[in-house]
Structures are given as structure tokens and as C-alpha cells.
Amino acid sequence: MSVNSATATALVVQHQSGGGLGRWAEWLSERGVTPQVVRAYEREPLPDRLEHSALIVLGGAHLPDDDANAPWLPATRALVRQAVAEGTPMFGICLGGQMLAQVTGGEVRGNHGTPEFGSTRLSLRAEAAADPVFHGLPAHPPAIENHVDAITALPAGAHWLVSSEDCPYQGFRVGSAAWGVQFHPETTAERILKWNRDRLDRHGAPDPEALHASALRDEPAATETWRTVAHRFAEVVTAGVHLREP
């Protein structure tokens, strides 16, 4: 039996109105994974248990344990723990990556280190060469960043895959099938034009137009790299579905 979008689904937890799945929705669908988005910030309910083929936790303007301002976070953390414990493929982006690190024993700190905004030069580490999703990528791919909080320690036993000059823990894997990243592989340069100008000013960042222009120059290389990652993650998902079929 072949695996298609009817059999492989990814539960996607969205934390804010401007933080959707972006281009990853199309890229996952191209490899047979159908995203099912829960807009948790609109109080759409999360399931008590993860019954989907995969879990994707997106970014947002919260720390992973900011339950007072984002009351859906405890349920999200429970789903992350379940995915890791059961080996269900999981991908965490920005807040989602921080949450993966925190719930598996790492550390996250608010307003820590140098903020990163806009297109940023990343560096793949040697450990990425053996990773199912990050192997063989360019040594220094660009990616869009938008964070002031950061992972300060990875969980014990995590595979450290990607770094940047100002933020060491840009990408990692926990166990066999749970990935977390600090950057935004799902977004495009166009979205930067909607970023909050006052927030950028507070952190000494360039204005949205300048950040957009830089990201637009890097977009062809970024698109090729992060499409590859999305496709490979989808293939991990569909392979797991295939293994579970009777």
C-alpha cells in the first residue's frame, strides 16, 4: 500500500496570527503529509493525545513555560513529550524548538544573548553529516531569524546540528525523530515587511525594509535548503506510517 496525504498527517500547533506554517504547508504536501493546523491562540482545542503521524510546533512570542499568557502551552508540552517518548516525528520551530529542548532536559532563557533578526548565516556542524534530515546541506545556509530568547543548554544526548555566530544552538535532534530549530525555515522575506517596527527598534535591529532586502537576496539559497529539509522530514513521517501499516 502506498503512503499518501490521506494516511500521513501532521498536527501543527500555531501560537499567533502571523506565525503560520507558511511554505512548509506546500512542501510537506508535496511529499505526502497533510498539515492539520490548530490555532491555539484562538483557543482551538488541542487533543489530549497525539494520534497524528507527526507533530509540528511553530514559533511565537512566548517562552515555552509562559502558561499565564499562553494557557495552551501545557497541552502543547504534553504532546511534545508524547512524540519524543513514542518516537513520533516532531519538528519544532523557534518557540517549538525551545520547547523541545526544555521538556527533554535542556535550558531556555528569555532575553538572552544577542537578538537575531532577518537573514542569518548558519553553520552546519560535523554531526549533521549523519542526520536523516540535515545531511548534505550547504555548509553555511541562510535562514530567517526573529528571536530574543534562546536555548542555553541542549538536553543530554542531543545531536547538535547547526549553529550561528551569535546563537550556538540553532538546530538539534533529540532521539531518532525529534528536531528543533531556532530559525524559521517556513517563512519568506515577504513576511518580514509585516514585523513590528517598534520591537525591532527596541533591540537595535534594522528596519523591516532593510531586513527584507537582505533576506530577498538570500531567498533562492534559503528556499532550496529548507525545501530539502521539509521534504526529508516528510519522508521520515511517511516512512513511519508505512512501517505501521498492516
Side-chain angles (χ1 to χ4, degrees):
M1 178 178 177
S2 63
V3 176
N4 54 45
S5 60
T7 60
T9 60
L11 176 68
V12 181
V13 182
Q14 183 173 340
H15 301 284
Q16 60 188 37
S17 59
L21 191 57
R23 57 190 180 179
W24 265 48
E26 178 181 357
W27 292 346
L28 292 172
S29 296
E30 288 172 352
R31 289 296 187 270
V33 176
T34 299
Q36 297 183 354
V37 179
V38 174
R39 294 171 179 83
Y41 64 96
E42 292 185 346
R43 302 303 190 264
E44 292 182 358
L46 289 165
D48 293 331
R49 280 192 54 79
L50 182 64
E51 303 294 344
H52 295 69
S53 315
L55 173 66
I56 298 173
V57 181
L58 299 175
H62 306 286
L63 287 166
D65 55 0
D66 187 11
D67 301 351
N69 293 308
W72 60 89
L73 290 179
T76 308
R77 293 196 300 271
L79 294 174
V80 172
R81 291 189 186 98
Q82 180 195 340
V84 173
E86 298 181 358
T88 301
M90 185 255 172
F91 206 100
I93 293 172
C94 198
L95 167 58
Q98 294 169 359
M99 184 177 292
L100 173 62
Q102 189 178 75
V103 304
T104 55
E107 297 178 356
V108 177
R109 292 179 61 182
N111 291 296
H112 178 82
T114 303
E116 291 181 310
F117 298 106
S119 188
T120 301
R121 184 179 187 261
L122 305 180
S123 295
L124 261 69
R125 291 169 50 81
E127 206 166 349
D131 186 78
V133 168
F134 282 82
H135 70 272
L137 298 180
H140 299 288
I144 291 175
E145 304 273 2
N146 186 6
H147 73 98
V148 298
D149 308 325
I151 298 165
T152 55
L154 291 179
H159 302 267
W160 184 11
L161 306 175
V162 189
S163 65
S164 73
E165 182 176 351
D166 290 323
C167 181
Y169 303 122
Q170 288 283 354
F172 63 99
R173 189 181 85 246
V174 175
S176 62
W179 287 268
V181 298
Q182 181 62 75
F183 53 91
H184 287 272
E186 85 289 2
T187 198
T188 62
E190 191 66 23
R191 188 179 286 184
I192 294 175
L193 292 173
K194 299 179 181 179
W195 286 3
N196 186 291
R197 190 180 301 269
D198 290 340
R199 177 172 178 264
L200 294 173
D201 287 344
R202 285 198 306 273
H203 293 286
D207 59 42
E209 291 76 16
L211 292 173
H212 170 261
S214 176
L216 199 60
R217 290 192 294 270
D218 289 340
E219 194 145 80
T223 297
E224 182 176 354
T225 298
W226 307 124
R227 181 193 290 120
T228 297
V229 167
H231 284 172
R232 288 176 178 170
F233 177 71
E235 288 161 3
V236 170
V237 176
T238 55
V241 171
H242 183 75
L243 288 173
R244 291 191 294 271
E245 288 176 348

